[in-house]
Amino acid sequence: MALEVAKFLDQLINGISLGAIYALIAIGYTMVYGIIGMINFAHGDIYMIGAFLSVIGILVLGLAGASWAPLGLLMVLVMAMAITGVYGWAVERLAYRPLRNSFRLAPLISAIGMSIFLQNFVQIAQGARNKAIPPIIQGKLTLMDLPGYSVSLSYVQILILVTTVALMAGFTYMIARTPLGRAQRACEQDRTMAALLGINVDRTIATTFVIGAALAAVAGMLITLRIGVIDFYIGFVAGVKAFTAAVLGGIGSLPGAVLGGLLIGLIEAFFSGYFSTAYKDVAAFVVLVLVLIFRPSGLLGRPEIEKV
Amino acid sequence: MLPVLETGLGSFIGLTLCLFGLGAYLAGQGLAHGWRPAWQAAVTGFGLALFDRFLQWGLFDGVLLSVGGYLAAGAILASIALFAHRLTLSAKMVRQYPWAYEAAGPLAWREKRAAATLGLDRRPEETSLARISQSQGGVKMNKIIAALVVVVALVGAYFYFGQKPAAPPAPATTEAAPPPAAPAAGDIVIAMGGPLTGEYAAFGEQMKRGAEQAVADINAAGGIGGRMLKIEVGDDACDPKQAVSVANDFANKGVVFVAGHFCSSSSIPASAVYAEHNILEITPASTNPKLTEDAAAKGWTNVFRTCGRDDLQGPTAARYIAKYFAGKKVAVLNDKSTYGAGLAEETRKALVGLGITPVLDEAYTQGDKDFSALVAKLKGEAVDVVYIGGYHTEAGLINRQARDAGLAAVLISGDALNTAEFWSITGAAGEGFLFTFAPDPRNLPTAKDVVAKFSAAGYDPEGYTLYTYAAVQVFAAAVAATGSTEEAKLAAYLRANAFDTVVGNLAFDAKGDVKGTGYVMYEWSNGAYKEKADQ
């Protein structure tokens, strides 16, 4: 009995720490969708760039002989967020703004082009090989210690959870209470009216892309710390999963993105744990299809009201 | 028996209820969204029943013209559609006219009292406004998203469950080959095909180094009967589709011999192209038995390999497990690739033959990074030995995450671990990881000179480097002896003779496999691997 509880707890921890990464990426999708009503298909690759920048930063600091890990990692994080933010801004400037008043599919397609470009750019600039870093944050808390089975929570997993919760709280506050958040909500409702009332729509949208990219960089850094091995292709799978999470939770809703991310992570972990690892992704997508059939606007999304 | 159940409960639930039932539900929902009347939902249900009957007939041997079956299926589908229509309509009425209506259960709505007195109780579908909304037929973003998700999920699943998830759409590399690659008169054009990009690029590099060194050495010694070798390099990224296009590219360039490919899933489809164009293929690395078995079964003579086969490799690992871990719990994992799944299956069969039944048989996906759930499952089964049929990247990550989670089991894998890149992934966690590979050719006296050349160039000829070198040597020896580059003559000569190569004396059997190869167990320790002393 205790063993079953331990196994359950172990998969719960695995699922949550996997889901938290999806959630961080999903927030980026959902914020951009919220403000311009379009999916940023280059977001997965922005995340990949964040991960590469983290690896480069960590290796450079390691070469420079940085000794105190927390400060070093913080520096790397700030650097990665800043540079990835510039990439996010560039995606908006190049792929979205010129096409904002075009037909709806145009920016979507240019974003897919952007995604292919970023992938190939990193493949050429950084090489196609796996990039690995040694584990930096080691150590763990042992939660349950049964004979032959121990459940532990590693410091990296704690870091992932704390970061995700803190960022979600921060951004929910930002959208609800700050001038930037008010401007974002105004742009979401009616861009023309917002502009008439003195809101700089272009800047608000660009800021949203930059924030989304910075969050993706955080996710990239966390995955680097947790897994330690990245390649130029990680953005594709993570992007699809996070997009799924955003849609599952209700695209446009910030808590929905986090809920969706955690759900996808948990479904994957529990399905691999109790049924079959080979079909964990099938399970996640089946849940998505079912949710979309019965709740087309996602779990926490607001249904679109057609006013007559 | 009920007429709908004539083809069995399974096909009724799967086809009529799940597939067409969901279709009917969506249809009812959609009709309600467009303010269409309920009878249309019923008609749709009976319409769908026609297709249901057709599929029951076509797929499950049902009766095509069965009135009872049709009516029963139609009734079920129509009620599902009506239910969905009603459910959606009530939700819509309450949500869109909150001042006039309130919910009375999930399937009904009623007028609000206050609203009734204000005269706002007209049913909106009777108003002209409702008709306007209907004619607008606004495309709902939700629907677009739903469709997009399905498309993205399918495309994602295709790449994700395909042979090579991380395959970049890189074009076939044609290094040092200006487009009109017309060979100088007398030059013999050969090729090396393997993954130069993607997760397994490390192996492609081994093969490229080996082939290029062999060509350089042969040319330095005056070529083959005065004719120089010229090498083309193709990148298949370990992707079957790309391997075929690389193979076609080689054929167009007049290549007569290919040293490649690396992944079994690339070598097998490429071998069909080579057979068609009469090109000799000697792979230094693809170990799946199907490669030569299928070729022999189809009567192709052009496929050879300088490495062993998984039906030798798997049993080697199994015997090792039986000897050193008797009575322990064993798990077998594979990565669903041709190579990984084939090797894991051979090992599992051999284990069962030795009286060891694996407690866990699992598959993971190539390109995955997070194996924590799988590791927790291994921990839960308290396994002592884990056999992994797969490549070094995933095996390395499983190793690293297993040690992080406190799983102390011994990990064993196959020949795809013989690259230094494995250690860069695992770090110290890789200590004690075992894998099977042929006896290390670097230690052979025949390889001494070549190894010295590589070392002088600052490269350690690990893994498949020398096997690729040997493949080129075998080809050169056959051309020198037959004086021809025709596939039929070369293949016949290869089967009839033995060749002195850097990896020792090689002879091929009728299928093109090397005679008398063996596998031994290696162990990773402190960043390097070496043969285990006690086997």
Side-chain angles (χ1 to χ4, degrees), chain B residues 258-446:
Chain B
V258 176
H261 297 226
F262 170 69
C263 295
S264 297
S265 51
S266 293
S267 290
I268 293 172
S271 67
V273 177
Y274 299 139
E276 192 185 326
H277 291 96
N278 294 320
I279 296 170
L280 188 71
E281 176 185 17
I282 305 181
T283 171
S286 295
T287 49
N288 192 296
K290 273 176 80 172
L291 175 64
T292 46
E293 292 290 335
D294 285 4
K298 285 173 185 158
W300 301 340
T301 55
N302 66 323
V303 184
F304 294 85
R305 57 179 138 208
T306 54
C307 55
R309 289 167 42 135
D310 288 342
D311 47 7
L312 274 175
Q313 177 166 212
T316 306
R319 277 194 300 276
Y320 187 88
I321 293 170
K323 186 170 169 193
Y324 289 96
F325 303 97
K328 299 285 173 81
K329 287 184 175 176
V330 182
V332 177
L333 311 179
N334 78 77
D335 67 354
K336 296 190 263 184
S337 72
T338 307
Y339 161 72
L343 179 57
E345 179 56 24
E346 294 293 346
T347 308
R348 202 186 59 79
K349 272 197 309 213
L351 280 172
V352 171
L354 292 165
I356 302 169
T357 309
V359 292
L360 198 65
D361 211 343
E362 273 283 3
Y364 57 87
T365 308
Q366 274 181 297
D368 256 5
K369 297 275 183 269
D370 189 318
F371 296 102
S372 54
L374 180 60
V375 165
K377 196 171 182 179
L378 294 169
K379 223 165 58 161
E381 295 284 346
V383 298
D384 305 297
V385 181
V386 182
Y387 187 83
I388 303 174
Y391 294 96
H392 69 294
T393 42
E394 288 85 8
L397 283 170
I398 290 174
N399 182 210
R400 188 164 165 172
Q401 290 168 24
R403 297 297 178 253
D404 282 352
L407 176 70
V410 175
L411 295 133
I412 304 177
S413 186
D415 56 319
L417 257 75
N418 58 25
T419 165
E421 200 176 89
F422 172 78
W423 194 263
S424 75
I425 293 170
T426 58
E431 189 71 31
F433 202 122
L434 301 172
F435 69 94
T436 46
F437 190 50
D440 198 336
R442 283 178 292 183
N443 304 331
L444 293 173
T446 46

Side-chain angles (χ1 to χ4, degrees), chain B residues 25-47:
Chain B
Y25 187 94
L26 283 175
Q29 205 176 39
L31 289 168
H33 273 303
W35 297 112
R36 306 293 177 95
W39 63 265
Q40 291 191 355
V43 171
T44 313
F46 278 95

Side-chain angles (χ1 to χ4, degrees), chain B residues 135-173:
Chain B
S135 62
Q136 279 172 344
V139 185
K140 293 195 183 56
M141 198 57 195
N142 278 331
K143 288 278 156 65
I144 296 180
I145 291 176
L148 266 177
V149 167
V150 172
V151 171
V152 169
L154 286 177
V155 174
Y158 175 73
F159 283 113
Y160 202 52
F161 296 112
Q163 281 297 329
K164 179 61 188 74
T173 344

Side-chain angles (χ1 to χ4, degrees), chain A residues 7-15 269-270 273-274, chain B residues 372-373 376-377:
Chain A
K7 284 185 198 171
F8 182 85
L9 193 64
D10 214 7
Q11 296 295 13
L12 190 71
I13 293 170
N14 291 333
F270 280 112
Y274 290 98
Chain B
S372 54
K377 196 171 182 179

Side-chain angles (χ1 to χ4, degrees), chain B residues 95-126:
Chain B
R95 195 170 61 230
Q96 294 199 194
Y97 309 100
W99 65 89
Y101 299 107
E102 60 189 358
L107 290 177
W109 65 95
R110 60 166 169 257
E111 288 163 21
K112 279 189 176 169
R113 199 132 310 138
T117 56
L118 285 170
L120 281 170
D121 54 345
R122 273 180 303 155
R123 286 175 58 119
E125 62 262 50
E126 291 159 11

Side-chain angles (χ1 to χ4, degrees), chain A residues 68-285:
Chain A
W68 198 49
L71 182 68
L73 290 180
L74 198 66
M75 275 169 61
V76 172
L77 182 66
V78 170
M79 182 274 301
M81 285 173 77
I83 302 181
T84 314
V86 174
Y87 275 95
W89 178 83
V91 168
E92 197 271 336
R93 195 71 190 75
L94 296 173
Y96 278 89
R97 194 179 296 180
L99 297 168
R100 198 179 293 156
N101 296 318
S102 173
F103 65 104
R104 287 200 86 128
L105 277 179
L108 211 65
I109 290 163
S110 71
I112 292 174
M114 208 67 190
S115 147
I116 295 171
F117 170 78
L118 289 177
Q119 236 176 56
N120 285 287
F121 165 65
V122 173
Q123 185 190 350
I124 291 166
Q126 292 294 321
R129 305 275 279 268
N130 287 295
K131 300 278 173 293
I133 56 159
I136 293 173
I137 304 179
Q138 280 166 322
K140 54 193 173 188
L141 296 174
T142 304
L143 301 181
M144 278 177 87
D145 202 2
L146 304 170
Y149 199 95
S150 68
V151 180
S152 54
L153 188 60
S154 70
Y155 291 153
V156 179
Q157 284 170 321
I158 298 175
L159 182 70
I160 290 175
L161 284 186
V162 171
T163 315
T164 309
V165 171
L167 286 175
M168 190 195 80
F171 279 97
T172 313
Y173 173 82
M174 185 198 84
I175 291 203
R177 299 256 183 268
T178 63
L180 175 64
R182 259 196 306 281
Q184 282 177 324
R185 278 180 292 141
C187 291
E188 180 183 348
Q189 285 174 3
D190 192 330
R191 280 208 293 270
T192 320
M193 192 64 205
L196 285 172
L197 292 175
I199 289 172
N200 188 338
V201 175
D202 279 349
R203 200 167 65 199
T204 311
I205 293 180
T207 315
T208 309
F209 270 84
V210 170
I211 292 172
L215 279 175
V218 176
M221 168 108 179
L222 291 175
I223 200 78
T224 306
L225 290 178
R226 174 144 163 72
I227 308 284
V229 179
I230 58 165
D231 58 59
F232 71 96
Y233 210 64
I234 55 168
F236 178 72
V237 173
V240 169
K241 294 273 178 67
F243 174 54
T244 309
V247 173
L248 183 64
I251 196 148
S253 149
L254 216 63
V258 175
L259 177 72
L262 290 178
L263 268 181
I264 298 264
L266 287 171
I267 292 167
E268 283 188 10
F270 280 112
F271 199 82
S272 348
Y274 290 98
F275 300 100
S276 146
T277 309
Y279 294 102
K280 68 185 166 75
D281 300 308
V282 176
F285 285 120

